[in-house]
Amino acid sequence: MYKNYVFDVYGTLVDIHTNEYLDSTWAKLAETLNFYGVYYSPQELKEAYFSSCELQMRQGRANFNHPEVDVVEVFSHIFENKGVKTTKTLSTHLAQEFRAFSTEYLKLYDGVLDTLAKLKRSRKKLFILSNAQKCFTKTELIKLGLLKYFTGAVYSSEYKCAKPDATLFNALCDKYKLDKKETVYVGNDPQTDVDGARNAKIDCLWIKTNLTDLNTKPKYSPKYTIDNGNFKEITKLLLKK
């Protein structure tokens, strides 16, 4: 029987759509930066953001096959490029502003809260493991009423490493002293979630949602599959395992 249930966030628990390329997003962000003495045109700001992301990715490939960006550092670079000093708190705030400007919708999938509550009542330990920015995701989990269900979390931005790299899965297990044989991972992505969990020798439940790329097949077979995106099926499949 599994004791530890580890969940991906976006596409698994949360349905989301963001657009980081909208001109309006960069216009709002450039105007916000003006209040801090940082002057970019919207197009210049957009280019500076993506250039900084690419620089981090290039540097990260020296250590990981699947490197990750830390957007707080990106916004620190955006200040530094203009010769303005900043703090981690301010860079985090600007990163969160960017997230707010670029998010078109954010909502829970049906059945998520009921399923998590049922697992907690069954004395299961719940964890988050997600390719995500901690400064965005922790706040969004609170907003959606999710964070209270989870014992702990690991975000890719913290480790500069992303799924499907087994490093991130191992980091979660090491941090919270999880026995992999007592752990199951739940995610919607065939590669980052299914193949990632299998690479780390953890059982995986693949739930196919509207954000699942159905044209991509996992290299490895998941232990369990929910084809219809019905989150409530998780407890039926797993609680007796």
Side-chain angles (χ1 to χ4, degrees):
M1 180 178 291
Y2 298 117
K3 295 181 179 179
N4 311 305
Y5 288 66
V6 185
F7 291 88
D8 173 51
V9 176
Y10 303 110
T12 300
L13 300 172
V14 176
D15 189 7
I16 186 171
H17 188 267
T18 63
N19 189 339
E20 297 179 345
Y21 296 92
L22 286 174
D23 291 342
S24 60
T25 293
W26 298 104
K28 291 175 184 177
L29 194 59
E31 186 174 346
T32 300
L33 285 168
N34 288 347
F35 287 99
Y36 300 97
V38 179
Y39 301 101
Y40 285 90
S41 70
Q43 183 61 31
E44 183 188 13
L45 179 57
K46 179 180 178 180
E47 291 173 359
Y49 175 85
F50 287 110
S51 293
S52 182
C53 288
E54 179 54 34
L55 176 61
Q56 282 194 39
M57 292 294 284
R58 287 200 306 269
Q59 292 172 338
R61 289 189 188 102
N63 299 310
F64 303 109
N65 291 327
H66 303 278
E68 177 63 289
V69 167
D70 181 344
V71 294
V72 174
E73 290 186 11
V74 169
F75 277 91
S76 293
H77 294 158
I78 284 171
F79 275 76
E80 291 166 5
N81 289 343
K82 293 296 184 178
V84 179
K85 292 183 178 180
T86 186
T87 63
K88 185 175 181 179
T89 298
L90 181 55
S91 295
T92 299
H93 171 70
L94 268 297
Q96 291 169 336
E97 288 281 288
F98 170 62
R99 178 68 160 190
F101 294 153
S102 60
T103 299
E104 297 183 359
Y105 67 78
L106 177 82
K107 59 187 179 181
L108 292 176
Y109 286 109
D110 290 343
V112 166
L113 292 180
D114 288 344
T115 299
L116 296 181
K118 186 175 289 187
L119 290 171
K120 290 293 281 187
R121 287 196 299 270
S122 299
R123 299 189 177 182
K124 305 302 181 182
K125 289 186 178 180
L126 310 183
F127 299 88
I128 290 291
L129 175 65
S130 190
N131 284 353
Q133 298 294 317
K134 183 177 180 179
C135 70
F136 299 162
T137 306
K138 186 174 180 180
T139 300
E140 290 171 351
L141 291 174
I142 293 171
K143 176 182 177 180
L144 294 168
L146 289 176
L147 193 62
K148 63 185 179 182
Y149 291 101
F150 292 94
T151 298
V154 162
Y155 307 102
S156 57
S157 65
E158 295 179 288
Y159 291 85
K160 301 293 187 70
C161 172
K163 300 175 298 180
D165 200 310
T167 300
L168 205 63
F169 292 86
N170 292 335
L172 178 84
C173 292
D174 291 344
K175 183 175 181 178
Y176 296 105
K177 308 268 190 301
L178 305 187
D179 184 338
K180 290 183 179 181
K181 294 179 181 178
E182 298 175 342
T183 301
V184 61
Y185 187 77
V186 181
N188 76 293
D189 191 275
Q191 294 181 331
T192 61
D193 295 329
V194 178
D195 290 342
R198 287 294 307 276
N199 285 337
K201 302 188 184 330
I202 296 173
D203 285 350
C204 181
L205 184 151
W206 183 21
I207 182 168
K208 299 179 185 180
T209 69
N210 65 311
L211 294 181
T212 300
D213 180 2
L214 297 178
N215 294 316
T216 300
K217 304 300 180 185
K219 180 179 178 181
Y220 304 106
S221 297
K223 185 80 170 180
Y224 314 96
T225 302
I226 296 175
D227 288 312
N228 61 3
N230 187 344
F231 209 83
K232 293 180 181 179
E233 293 294 319
I234 290 174
T235 53
K236 294 180 182 178
L237 270 177
L238 299 182
L239 268 183
K240 294 182 180 180
K241 300 294 181 182

